[in-house]
Amino acid sequence: MLNIKNLHARLEQKEILRGINLQVNPEEIHAILGPNGSGKSTLGRVLVGDEKYEKTEGKMTLEGRNFDEMDSAERAQAGFFLSFQSPPEIDGVSAKELLLAAKKALDKDFRSSFRLKKELSENLKKLHLSDEFMTRDVHKGASGGERRKMEMASLLTIDPKIAFLDEIDSGIDVDAMKAIATAIQEFMKRKGKALILVSHTEKLLQMIQPTHFHVLCAGTIVQSGGQEIMERVHQCGFCDFIQEKKKNSQLKVVS
Ligand code: ADP
Ligand code: MG
């Protein structure tokens, strides 16, 4: 579904992504782990087409369609959804208005604000949020946990093909974590969906059971595998992976 090959990107002359390779197929959940500042959020922003970032090398395709030829709106229309690490407040726009505009942009036959309201209300309920969040300005004055739950309600309402969730679990309480995990599970039960999840929380990862794990260090994926990666990270931290990467790059220079 999503194919990333040798992706390099920079921000203001600073190279952040240094050759990312990642293939995500339908029904797969890919967890991305990695130390702070390693480029996880940058990957999400480059994928969504944030113009601040310059892609210098590589290729990203979604179902064979080249992201280079698409702006952010077209990437969303193709089925890509990004939840930011710090979702911003949007003054003067309610969630209902925003999501109705998004639904109309994604599906030209979607017109019914009544249907949107119904769907959104059901999804808010699943996240234990009141209908008040429909009419309030997006994320205005909302707590971290409320913002993240709102992002999940939006995800369920937009119903993309693939979502990139950037630390959707940071700073939330146990109940919010459960609600978010349940929402992720519901999304993944829908046909042919895929997910990329940036997370530091073992609890959420245990609830979600990703199919693939990757460790991102200094802009490259240094290790990929299954559950054993998460266990190694939670036992030893990222130092092991960083040491290993250093050793491998030294070996490459020597050979
Ligand atoms: P992660 O999400 O893995 O913690 P980020 O992708 O947010 O890491 O950041 C990767 C690197 O890019 C870090 O070194 C960070 O300091 C740098 N960076 C991110 N945003 C900016 C910015 N606006 N200006 C300068 N450097 C930035
Ligand atoms: Mg980040």
Side-chain angles (χ1 to χ4, degrees):
M1 181 190 262
L2 180 72
N3 214 333
I4 304 172
K5 278 198 186 134
N6 191 32
L7 179 64
H8 289 250
R10 66 181 175 201
L11 174 76
E12 293 160 9
Q13 306 308 314
K14 179 179 169 190
E15 189 177 39
I16 300 174
L17 301 185
R18 300 168 186 181
I20 302 256
N21 292 297
L22 186 66
Q23 191 180 331
V24 183
N25 299 310
E27 327 264 294
E28 290 180 352
I29 302 180
H30 289 245
I32 299 190
L33 316 174
N36 296 330
S38 57
K40 304 179 297 296
S41 296
T42 301
L43 176 61
R45 287 187 176 267
V46 172
L47 279 169
V48 85
D50 185 330
E51 286 169 0
K52 281 205 302 263
Y53 296 82
E54 186 193 350
K55 197 199 87 176
T56 49
E57 225 182 303
K59 201 171 172 184
M60 301 170 275
T61 56
L62 182 59
E63 296 186 320
R65 294 178 63 198
N66 191 348
F67 266 10
D68 282 342
E69 290 145 19
M70 299 182 202
D71 61 21
S72 298
E74 289 165 329
R75 292 179 197 197
Q77 274 159 352
F80 184 77
F81 177 100
L82 170 72
S83 164
F84 293 112
Q85 185 169 351
S86 316
E89 293 184 2
I90 309 175
D91 274 335
V93 181
S94 70
K96 198 174 75 184
E97 289 163 338
L98 178 71
L99 291 171
L100 182 61
K103 287 287 256 194
K104 282 181 177 169
L106 298 174
D107 174 2
K108 62 179 171 27
D109 295 325
F110 194 98
R111 284 201 181 87
S112 167
S113 71
F114 176 76
R115 200 175 120 201
L116 184 272
K117 209 174 138 192
K118 190 167 168 284
E119 275 181 32
L120 180 57
S121 174
E122 282 165 12
N123 292 328
L124 287 171
K125 213 171 280 154
K126 290 173 195 161
L127 274 308
H128 309 146
L129 290 173
S130 71
D131 274 357
E132 188 225 326
F133 282 88
M134 255 197 268
T135 45
R136 221 159 114 167
D137 286 2
V138 178
H139 298 317
K140 188 86 183 166
S143 71
E146 286 169 342
R147 282 178 202 223
R148 288 168 205 290
K149 289 198 283 184
M150 194 63 217
E151 291 286 290
M152 282 311 300
S154 305
L155 167 71
L156 292 178
T157 307
I158 299 265
D159 193 33
K161 289 179 184 155
I162 179 164
F164 186 110
L165 303 182
D166 194 356
E167 299 202 23
I168 193 87
D169 48 350
S170 79
I172 58 172
D173 65 37
V174 192
D175 293 338
M177 175 111 63
K178 273 192 197 144
I180 284 174
T182 308
I184 291 177
Q185 282 156 350
E186 175 183 331
F187 174 67
M188 288 307 294
K189 271 193 206 130
R190 297 178 185 172
K191 204 166 170 283
K193 304 295 182 185
L195 196 72
I196 302 173
L197 188 74
V198 174
S199 172
H200 291 289
T201 319
E202 195 174 1
K203 183 99 188 112
L204 182 80
L205 294 170
Q206 276 165 350
M207 286 194 264
I208 301 301
Q209 295 282 311
T211 52
H212 299 70
F213 288 82
H214 310 276
V215 177
L216 184 63
C217 282
T220 48
I221 290 178
V222 293
Q223 188 77 253
S224 294
Q227 183 100 10
E228 72 285 354
I229 301 240
M230 180 179 76
E231 284 154 18
R232 201 173 139 199
V233 167
H234 286 111
Q235 270 169 21
C236 321
F238 294 114
C239 292
D240 260 17
F241 295 98
I242 297 169
Q243 293 297 345
E244 228 166 78
K245 184 182 173 247
K246 272 193 192 146
K247 230 190 301 173
N248 288 342
S249 49
Q250 273 160 6
L251 284 176
K252 258 188 227 156
V253 173
V254 172
S255 61

